[in-house]
Amino acid sequence: MTTGYILIAAILILGGVIATVGDRIGTRVGKARLSLFNLRPKKTAVIVTIFTGGLISASTLAILFAADGGLRKGVFELEDIQRDLTNKREQLKTAQTQKSQVETELNKARQEKIQAQQELQTINKSLQTANTKQKITQAQLNRTLNQQAKTQARLNETQNRLGGIVIQYQQARTELQTLYNQRKTLQAAVEDLKAEQQRLYAEAKQAIDEARTAIEKRDRKIANLDKLIQNRNLEIKLREEVIATRESRLKELEKQQQFLEQEVARLEKYYQSYRDLRLGKLALVRGQVIAAGLITVNKPNGASQAIIQVLQEANRNANIQLTEPGATPANKEILRVTKDKVEQLIAQIKDGREYVVRIFSAGNYVRGEKQIEFFADATRNQLVFSSGEILATTTADLKNMTSNQLRQRLDLLMSASEFRARNAGIVEPVQIEGTLLRFVSQLQQAQQEVEIKAIAAEDTYTVGPLKVKLVALLNGQILFST
């Protein structure tokens, strides 16, 4: 009895120690937000708690199995015991059936014995009656004696059978009693196992409930921490969005600065060319359009004829440009035309579509040149800018800007529009739709920061020209336009 108390106390103490250690381990894991097997810290804490609960159950079972051999045998050999019990029950049913058959035969033998005794008594009475009366003959006496001997033999045989049946009955009762004893023993063991199983289930359920309560507490703590982290992440995300917006604006300004620097370099280059032109040195500037034409080839020979016409016009224009002021332009073959260039142009435009063919000066040429080089370009006449498409955008703080600064800002806006037009293949100068002076006057009267956009006034094709409409906007609303 004392051993049982000691065993129960040891189990309780060991379970409490393991539960305390498991709780501390789970708490440290939750605080440290450790991760096992690439799981979330919350799942890791749950796994640690489940592991400690399993360790409690395993230690309890180990102590019970080590202390009680019958329990260990009952748990691990329960299926064999139940299988043996089933076999014993079947043997018991068979023995009971045999018992019933033996009892039936025993009753039948007893009835035959009683009947034989009755016949023997009847015969004895007959003999007594025969002896008394002395009327029975010797033959009858012999027949009676023979019958009596047969009856005695039958009686002896019945008694022998009855003795064997009695022996079998006693053996069956002995086996039946043994089976009853085994059945009681097995039933007692099964009841003990059921009680132990229910107790273990109750302890496991209690441990699971405690672990679940601890997990819920940790989950609430983790949820609060997650909310704090989400709020911080939201703040960080908002800051990143602001930074991204500023970086995007900075990149856009850098692109505009780079574009404007390219425009300034190009304008300086053209300024130098125009300066030479004013001094009378240059007649043709490199890249200058000498002649241009819109060509659509509908006939087999139409391509060569159209190219020849454009080249003739370019030659006439070159003669005019290269002639000294006051002199009559000569009709000379100034353009150096080769068969390869003509065939190349014909191959580009002979598909029957509408093309814009331009003849460009290949270099800078002064007046009096006798021969010049050129290059040609054939571009599909297609829609380049749709009506209302934004070409360039700038801002103007009219409170803090002078008229000269405003003019420079508008010149940069128009330069950007011209740059886009040239990149799209339009070489004609950009035309402003409406009155620019009235637009500038309205800007100066606005006295606030506005956004100025250059938009396409109409659908513009490659042949040009590009007509631009200037629009002033405040907070996305149009104030006025050209």
Side-chain angles (χ1 to χ4, degrees), residues 398 400-410 440 444:
L398 302 175
N400 302 319
M401 292 180 66
T402 63
S403 300
N404 189 23
Q405 291 174 341
L406 179 59
R407 290 278 185 179
Q408 291 178 356
R409 189 64 58 89
L410 293 176
V440 174
Q444 292 174 347

Side-chain angles (χ1 to χ4, degrees), residues 222-238:
I222 293 171
N224 294 329
L225 292 175
D226 289 337
K227 288 181 180 178
L228 293 176
I229 292 171
Q230 288 178 357
N231 293 331
R232 291 179 182 176
N233 291 335
L234 183 60
E235 293 177 359
I236 293 171
K237 186 176 180 182
L238 291 174

Side-chain angles (χ1 to χ4, degrees), residues 44-64:
T44 304
V46 173
I47 290 175
V48 171
T49 306
I50 292 173
F51 176 75
T52 55
L55 189 60
I56 294 172
S57 301
S59 60
T60 304
L61 291 175
I63 294 172
L64 290 175

Side-chain angles (χ1 to χ4, degrees), residues 207-430:
I208 291 171
D209 292 336
E210 293 176 355
R212 187 176 297 167
T213 303
I215 291 170
E216 289 177 353
K217 291 180 180 178
R218 293 193 186 98
D219 288 342
R220 286 194 292 270
K221 292 180 181 179
I222 293 171
N224 294 329
L225 292 175
D226 289 337
K227 288 181 180 178
L228 293 176
I229 292 171
Q230 288 178 357
N231 293 331
R232 291 179 182 176
N233 291 335
L234 183 60
E235 293 177 359
I236 293 171
K237 186 176 180 182
L238 291 174
R239 291 178 182 176
E240 289 178 351
E241 289 179 354
V242 172
I243 292 171
T245 303
R246 291 178 179 176
E247 289 179 350
S248 177
R249 180 60 179 168
L250 179 61
K251 289 180 180 179
E252 184 179 353
L253 293 175
E254 288 176 352
K255 290 181 180 179
Q256 291 181 1
Q257 181 181 0
Q258 184 179 4
F259 166 73
L260 293 175
E261 289 176 353
Q262 293 175 356
E263 284 297 308
V264 169
R266 186 185 63 81
L267 291 174
E268 288 178 352
K269 178 180 176 182
Y270 279 111
Y271 174 75
Q272 184 65 30
S273 299
Y274 289 145
R275 182 182 177 187
D276 294 337
L277 183 61
R278 288 196 191 98
L279 294 175
K281 295 179 180 180
L282 290 178
L284 290 174
V285 182
R286 183 175 58 186
Q288 180 178 345
V289 179
I290 304 174
L294 183 63
I295 298 174
T296 304
V297 178
N298 297 321
K299 298 179 181 180
N301 298 326
S304 60
Q305 294 177 0
I307 295 299
I308 291 171
Q309 290 178 1
V310 174
L311 291 174
Q312 288 176 353
E313 183 181 356
N315 190 73
R316 285 194 301 271
N317 293 336
N319 280 313
I320 294 171
Q321 294 289 336
L322 296 175
T323 302
E324 293 293 339
T328 302
N331 190 11
K332 299 179 181 179
E333 294 293 334
I334 297 178
L335 293 180
R336 186 173 294 173
V337 181
T338 61
K339 185 177 180 181
D340 295 336
K341 291 183 179 180
V342 175
E343 290 179 353
Q344 184 178 2
L345 285 173
I346 291 172
Q348 291 180 1
I349 67 172
K350 68 179 183 179
D351 58 357
R353 297 180 181 179
E354 195 174 50
Y355 285 90
V356 178
V357 179
R358 301 184 183 94
I359 308 299
F360 298 91
S361 173
N364 296 328
Y365 296 101
V366 297
R367 301 184 186 278
E369 291 280 352
K370 303 300 181 181
Q371 196 79 31
I372 65 172
E373 296 289 342
F374 74 95
F375 63 90
D377 176 58
T379 307
R380 283 274 310 278
N381 188 31
Q382 55 188 356
L383 181 64
V384 179
F385 298 110
S386 300
S387 178
E389 183 175 351
I390 298 173
L391 303 175
T393 304
T394 187
T395 57
D397 187 2
L398 302 175
K399 290 182 179 179
N400 302 319
M401 292 180 66
T402 63
S403 300
N404 189 23
Q405 291 174 341
L406 179 59
R407 290 278 185 179
Q408 291 178 356
R409 189 64 58 89
L410 293 176
D411 289 340
L412 289 175
L413 185 66
M414 294 305 300
S415 297
S417 301
E418 290 179 356
F419 180 75
R420 288 198 61 186
R422 282 195 301 274
N423 286 340
I426 301 174
V427 296
E428 295 290 333
V430 175

Side-chain angles (χ1 to χ4, degrees), residues 433-452:
E433 185 184 61
T435 305
L436 181 60
L437 293 176
R438 184 172 58 85
F439 183 76
V440 174
S441 176
Q442 290 176 337
L443 282 176
Q444 292 174 347
Q445 294 174 3
Q447 292 298 316
Q448 55 187 339
E449 185 176 358
V450 297
E451 184 180 14
I452 305 173

